[in-house]
Amino acid sequence: MRILVTEDEKDLADAIAKGLRNQGYAVDIAYDGQQALDMIEISDYDLIVLDLNLPLVDGMEVCRQVRESSSRTGILMLTARSSPSDRVSGLDRGADDYLTKPFHFPELLARVRAILRREGESRDTILRTRDLVLDPNSQRCYFNDDEIKLTTKEFAILEYLMRNAGRIVSQEELLEHVWDDDANLFTHSVRVHVMNLRRKLDGSGAVDAISTVKGRGYIL
Ligand code: CA
């Protein structure tokens, strides 16, 4: 899942991004509202962590423009102001949730997970496809109750495919949602990661869980 952190306090932005990357999310950072709008135009984010007070274009306006163009992207608003009117106007402009600064990082993570669940088909905290089970909270994967050890990237690929089970996902789409802007790689690397992931799944008994649709992508 790919997340855009929009926050002008650089230390805070970097800390949030680092924490989210540790959880396996692909994360980009925008330090002002205009940069956020530019990045949203180029990349398809699953979620935006959006500070309210931003230079150039404020968070409310970013939120409004995101909602005008996409109803799918989740928005978690950050605000130093705790007045009820800010929260109400944020939610009215299409934010999915808000968090008042200062906050505890585990709470931000929990809200991010809740919004991403809302965006997907399933509201269950655990993802299941037949006997394959993925727990985004603990970052663990099981087949028939046996744990499969995955790298962060393999986990992120499998999570994306499971959230989109039954639909063909192209290599470009995987690149877009599983890697961030810093990743300098080609679709060849996607193939390598998927190949390694498949080898582990096959070895654990989840044989042929991921199918290749020639010329189009992968389907779980
Ligand atoms: Ca700010």
Side-chain angles (χ1 to χ4, degrees):
M1 300 278 120
R2 189 164 178 187
I3 298 177
L4 176 64
V5 173
T6 308
E7 167 63 69
D8 59 314
E9 289 166 55
K10 195 171 179 302
D11 290 349
L12 181 59
D14 293 347
I16 293 172
K18 185 165 179 249
L20 289 170
R21 286 191 188 113
N22 285 342
Q23 296 294 310
Y25 298 109
V27 185
D28 297 321
I29 304 175
Y31 296 109
D32 64 60
Q34 187 55 52
Q35 190 187 3
L37 289 174
D38 293 345
M39 293 174 79
I40 290 158
E41 209 165 286
I42 296 166
S43 299
D44 185 12
Y45 291 100
D46 298 296
L47 186 142
I48 303 169
V49 176
L50 183 61
D51 185 31
L52 199 54
N53 295 308
L54 290 168
L56 302 182
V57 181
D58 78 13
M60 286 290 182
E61 177 58 18
V62 173
C63 186
R64 195 190 61 77
Q65 292 200 30
V66 169
R67 274 294 165 266
E68 239 176 38
S69 59
S70 155
S71 56
R72 240 174 45 91
T73 307
I75 298 176
L76 173 61
M77 217 165 230
L78 300 182
T79 169
R81 295 175 281 179
S82 54
S83 85
S85 66
D86 277 335
R87 289 180 234 156
V88 170
S89 37
L91 294 171
D92 275 348
R93 279 182 175 72
D96 294 287
D97 203 353
Y98 64 85
L99 198 54
T100 306
K101 291 196 263 186
F103 54 82
H104 293 293
F105 194 70
E107 190 178 358
L108 181 136
L109 281 181
R111 285 174 194 268
V112 162
R113 284 194 296 263
I115 293 172
L116 290 175
R117 274 204 296 283
R118 212 174 301 170
E119 299 303 305
E121 293 285 303
S122 162
R123 305 197 61 153
D124 197 344
T125 56
I126 309 283
L127 297 168
R128 290 171 225 269
T129 306
R130 280 178 284 167
D131 290 325
L132 199 56
V133 174
L134 207 67
D135 183 354
N137 299 8
S138 65
Q139 294 272 299
R140 285 170 193 267
C141 171
Y142 302 90
F143 181 73
N144 275 339
D145 298 331
D146 292 326
E147 188 174 358
I148 309 174
K149 295 276 181 200
L150 299 178
T151 64
T152 308
K153 222 31 127 185
E154 289 160 1
F155 189 94
I157 291 170
L158 188 58
E159 181 181 357
Y160 192 79
L161 290 175
M162 285 180 85
R163 287 190 191 278
N164 292 279
R167 183 170 76 73
I168 297 172
V169 175
S170 69
Q171 292 188 350
E172 290 72 23
E173 188 177 339
L174 272 181
L175 254 184
E176 180 94 10
H177 290 270
V178 177
W179 277 267
D180 54 38
D181 272 351
D182 290 337
N184 179 19
L185 41 73
F186 301 94
T187 51
H188 171 70
S189 303
V190 178
R191 276 204 294 278
V192 172
H193 283 281
V194 171
M195 197 174 73
N196 292 336
L197 172 60
R198 264 189 178 140
R199 196 173 295 150
K200 288 184 183 179
L201 292 177
D202 284 353
S204 308
V207 179
D208 295 335
I210 302 170
S211 310
T212 303
V213 183
K214 207 165 183 306
R216 295 181 61 195
Y218 307 103
I219 185 166
L220 194 93

